Amino acid sequence: MDHKSGNYIFTSESVTEGHPDKICDKISDSLLDNFISQDKNSKVAMETMVTTGLVAVAGEVKSNATVNYQEIIRKTIQDIGYDDSRIGFDFKSCGIIVAVGSQSADIRMGVEREKDEDQGAGDQGLMFGYATSETDEFMPMPIYYAHKLTKRLAEVRKNKSLDFIRPDGKSQVSVRYEKSQPVEISSIVVSTQHSDDVSQERLTDAVIDEVIKKVIPAELINSSTKFFINPTGRFVIGGPNGDTGLTGRKIIVDTYGGMGRHGGGAFSGKDPSKVDRSGSYMARFIAKNIVASGLAKKCEVQIAYAIGVADPVSVMANTFGTGIYNDETISKTVSSVFNLRPYSIVKTLDLLKPIYARTSNYGHFGRTEDGFTWEQTVKIAELKETAKELNKSMVTV
């Protein structure tokens, strides 16, 4: 395939909520939600590890909240679907270790200020946001449909229409592009944990009929599309019994499936004073509004911070040659329209709410549910007007 001409195949993956790493993300974010629901100014950095029969939680917290770790952890595991030791993990009997301490006074000194609006960034770092016009949700097609598949796997498991499906699973979608536009899906991989008594033939037929064909539009599949269903032939041992899980180990699944760049910081378990999370949400908000406004067909936004400093050290917009104005104009438009100080980001996106457990599975972006405020396209008119005026002034100069 010739990438320069825009002819290529791009692949992205997703994982189910029963995947060991995603169990950890959901536990970390469920604990964060509990802290924020009691004390919206809680400062939380929560990490989780799961392995056979064990959950370990560690982190740093500054909060007035009182949290029942055991109750929240066990309820989260139960909701995911690990409720029987026969499937490898059981919320009732798993061991739980909690080692949570106080937030570093040095970090707190960098974040807290006399005036709220002067709040510094909780860490140094660079964050990316990305949007593309190739789907209605302004997400890259490969990751968008990979998430659809894993979410559907969870649905057919929980409603028991496929009662042999177990919580752990993965999907992978390969999309063929011509002239940088998606034209078909060339292959789909679905691997799902299953009961010991189901045949490979029944599993394959059921996944194709009740999962793939229910969420992938027929026009994207043709006779050359390849399906790989549990290609190893067996996936009975799964979840924490099959693999150790850690918070923050699925950052590409969480974002754009590799289509847009990633600054390296994970999201789950972090309160919004951490710009790893809030800055990435804001960068997505900006990129999506730029594409939705028609200023570009594709946009990537980078924001970078120094710890303890409110204003970003750099802001960049890259439209990959698809912008109606040059990238310098669009970058200046971003800086003019959006207040990128951490306090303002939290206020603009209304982030001091217990919304985070919902983000921990099936991607943080491209979601239409309530609470995903960074997906709102409310800056279109202001962006168009500001970009037009800035372009005029730059041309005049």
Side-chain angles (χ1 to χ4, degrees):
M1 292 291 177
D2 182 1
H3 194 84
K4 288 185 178 179
S5 68
N7 299 331
Y8 54 88
I9 294 175
F10 197 95
T11 302
S12 296
E13 73 160 344
S14 178
V15 298
T16 65
E17 60 204 68
H19 185 281
D21 295 331
K22 277 295 154 195
I23 298 171
C24 295
D25 285 343
K26 191 160 189 179
I27 288 172
S28 294
D29 274 336
S30 296
L31 290 167
L32 170 62
D33 280 351
N34 206 271
F35 277 106
I36 289 179
S37 66
Q38 297 180 54
D39 176 5
K40 69 178 184 178
N41 294 314
S42 296
K43 301 295 183 287
V44 179
M46 198 68 62
E47 309 291 344
T48 304
M49 181 195 78
V50 296
T51 190
T52 304
L54 179 66
V55 180
V57 172
E60 298 78 41
V61 173
K62 176 181 179 286
S63 178
N64 293 320
T66 301
V67 168
N68 187 328
Y69 288 88
Q70 289 269 343
E71 181 180 307
I72 295 165
I73 292 168
R74 294 192 191 279
K75 179 67 164 59
T76 301
I77 296 168
Q78 180 185 22
D79 289 345
I80 291 170
Y82 286 108
D83 55 5
D84 192 327
S85 58
R86 289 174 295 181
I87 64 173
F89 205 64
D90 184 359
F91 77 96
K92 299 183 293 295
S93 60
C94 65
I96 295 176
I97 298 172
V98 177
V100 177
S102 299
Q103 184 190 48
S104 162
D106 292 344
I107 293 176
R108 187 161 63 250
M109 181 174 63
V111 173
E112 295 180 351
R113 293 288 187 270
E114 187 174 332
K115 293 182 179 179
D116 288 342
E117 57 268 28
D118 293 331
Q119 171 188 322
D123 199 354
Q124 71 173 47
L126 49 141
M127 300 86 218
F128 287 98
Y130 183 81
T132 172
S133 59
E134 66 189 58
T135 62
D136 290 342
E137 290 73 16
F138 300 96
M139 288 291 287
M141 188 174 286
I143 188 66
Y144 176 73
Y145 283 116
H147 285 321
K148 288 277 193 183
L149 290 170
T150 51
K151 192 170 185 180
R152 177 64 180 169
L153 269 178
E155 288 173 0
V156 297
R157 170 175 61 86
K158 291 180 176 181
N159 67 25
K160 300 189 186 305
S161 59
L162 297 182
D163 60 3
F164 49 83
I165 299 294
R166 299 293 179 258
D168 196 358
K170 290 184 174 184
S171 71
Q172 188 170 282
V173 175
S174 300
V175 175
R176 186 168 67 85
Y177 288 76
E178 289 183 357
K179 297 180 180 178
S180 299
Q181 293 301 309
V183 295
E184 67 176 8
I185 292 176
S186 61
S187 68
I188 295 172
V189 183
V190 176
S191 294
T192 180
Q193 186 186 12
H194 58 84
S195 64
D196 197 17
D197 57 358
V198 67
S199 68
Q200 175 70 11
E201 183 180 8
R202 184 186 177 206
L203 177 72
T204 299
D205 290 344
V207 169
I208 291 173
D209 291 339
E210 296 301 324
V211 178
I212 294 175
K213 290 184 177 179
K214 295 294 185 182
V215 299
I216 305 294
E219 62 268 21
L220 292 175
I221 299 175
N222 55 44
S223 58
S224 64
T225 303
K226 295 182 175 66
F227 299 132
F228 300 93
I229 312 302
N230 280 29
T232 64
R234 181 178 171 85
F235 188 1
V236 173
I237 299 171
N241 194 34
D243 194 11
T244 297
L246 294 169
T247 296
R249 208 158 57 173
K250 286 290 178 283
I251 59 176
I252 300 303
V253 171
D254 285 343
T255 52
Y256 309 101
M259 187 76 81
R261 285 176 284 193
H262 197 296
F267 301 157
S268 290
K270 298 177 181 178
D271 75 85
S273 73
K274 279 74 170 174
V275 286
D276 277 346
R277 184 168 215 160
S278 56
S280 295
Y281 289 177
M282 190 64 172
R284 163 65 178 175
F285 180 59
I286 296 167
K288 183 173 181 179
N289 276 269
I290 287 171
V291 176
S293 71
L295 293 177
K297 293 181 180 179
K298 186 189 300 184
C299 183
E300 183 177 74
V301 173
Q302 186 199 54
I303 313 170
Y305 291 91
I307 188 169
V309 179
D311 291 308
V313 298
S314 68
V315 180
M316 180 196 74
N318 178 5
T319 64
F320 306 93
T322 70
I324 64 173
Y325 305 119
N326 64 39
D327 287 349
E328 183 183 4
T329 298
I330 292 179
S331 295
K332 288 184 176 180
T333 299
V334 169
S335 295
S336 177
V337 170
F338 298 94
N339 187 329
L340 299 178
R341 290 182 155 218
Y343 172 80
S344 295
I345 290 174
V346 170
K347 189 174 181 182
T348 297
L349 300 181
D350 197 17
L351 296 178
L352 295 179
K353 290 183 176 180
I355 57 174
Y356 296 104
R358 283 179 288 157
T359 70
S360 61
N361 293 292
Y362 314 115
H364 293 245
F365 307 123
R367 306 279 292 274
T368 57
E369 303 99 305
D370 289 342
F372 289 76
T373 53
W374 48 93
E375 294 297 317
Q376 296 175 353
T377 50
V378 294
K379 291 289 188 176
I380 290 175
E382 190 176 356
L383 278 167
K384 290 168 75 171
E385 183 61 30
T386 303
K388 183 179 179 181
E389 292 303 315
L390 280 172
N391 187 62
K392 278 184 186 177
S393 64
M394 292 174 74
V395 169
T396 302
V397 173

